[in-house]
Amino acid sequence: MKNIPLFYTYFDSPVGRLLLAGDQKSLHFLSFPGGRKAFGPQPAWTMSDVHFDAVKEQLSLYFSGSLEVFDLPLTLHGTDFQKRVWELLMEISFGATRTYGRLAEKLGTPKASRAVGAANGSNPIPIIIPCHRVIGSTGKLTGFGGGIDTKRFLLDLESPSKKLL
């Protein structure tokens, strides 16, 4: 994330002001306003709203409950293992959850739940790559870069019971 010449803007959401960063073709980062993984724009980045219309539109639809699957070009910065985990995260359906252990099994490395957790925690584009849908083996909400309250909000937003209203 250091000195990558990107553009950035902000999106006001129900979970706070989200930082969006990307190039002319794809989104690279999304950061929450608080929590242990929050970060701000890097010195080499340029403030610009021009490249983020599709991202903002889809985030608006998601937060209004009208969008369940994002369709955006993404550029992922991470190891091969992290990218495999993030690809699995994108397979978790709206309103569903998975455990770290189940994701590790799906990767063919059933004893790697901690490594899956670390990769999940390094997700550069939360919400869009739905790391909030991963929970502990007991069903407990575990650590989340945007904070547990944000994770709970996102899971409640996606709750199947909301669709009955």
Side-chain angles (χ1 to χ4, degrees):
M1 155 166 75
K2 294 179 183 174
N3 298 322
I4 297 172
L6 298 177
F7 299 97
Y8 74 94
T9 192
Y10 293 95
F11 175 78
D12 291 320
S13 81
V15 296
R17 194 171 191 218
L18 304 175
L19 170 71
L20 308 173
D23 58 26
Q24 296 174 352
K25 298 178 182 177
S26 64
L27 185 67
H28 291 233
F29 301 104
L30 183 153
S31 180
F32 292 104
R36 60 185 172 83
K37 297 284 185 171
F39 63 88
Q42 301 301 299
W45 297 358
T46 304
M47 175 71 157
S48 173
D49 287 326
V50 175
H51 309 290
F52 300 97
D53 290 342
V55 178
K56 288 181 174 185
E57 179 181 350
Q58 289 189 35
L59 284 169
S60 292
L61 291 170
Y62 169 79
F63 283 112
S64 73
S66 302
L67 181 78
E68 295 184 1
V69 178
F70 289 93
D71 183 18
L72 296 166
L74 307 175
T75 297
L76 301 176
H77 303 276
T79 67
D80 289 342
F81 180 79
Q82 288 172 324
K83 289 176 185 178
R84 285 176 50 213
V85 170
W86 300 335
E87 288 170 13
L88 278 181
L89 296 177
M90 290 188 276
E91 294 175 11
I92 304 171
S93 300
F94 183 92
T97 57
R98 296 291 179 275
T99 64
Y100 298 99
R102 187 163 174 198
L103 291 174
E105 288 172 8
K106 194 158 183 172
L107 285 170
T109 55
K111 295 184 180 187
S113 58
R114 287 189 179 176
V116 167
N120 194 57
S122 297
N123 175 10
I125 311 174
I127 301 174
I128 293 167
I129 299 175
C131 53
H132 60 279
R133 296 179 187 157
V134 182
I135 59 174
S137 61
T138 63
K140 182 179 178 188
L141 299 188
T142 56
F144 184 63
I148 293 295
D149 289 342
T150 298
K151 183 171 188 163
R152 185 174 293 109
F153 177 89
L154 296 172
L155 290 173
D156 286 348
L157 175 72
E158 297 181 9
S159 171
S161 63
K162 299 281 187 196
K163 295 179 183 178
L164 299 175
L165 300 176

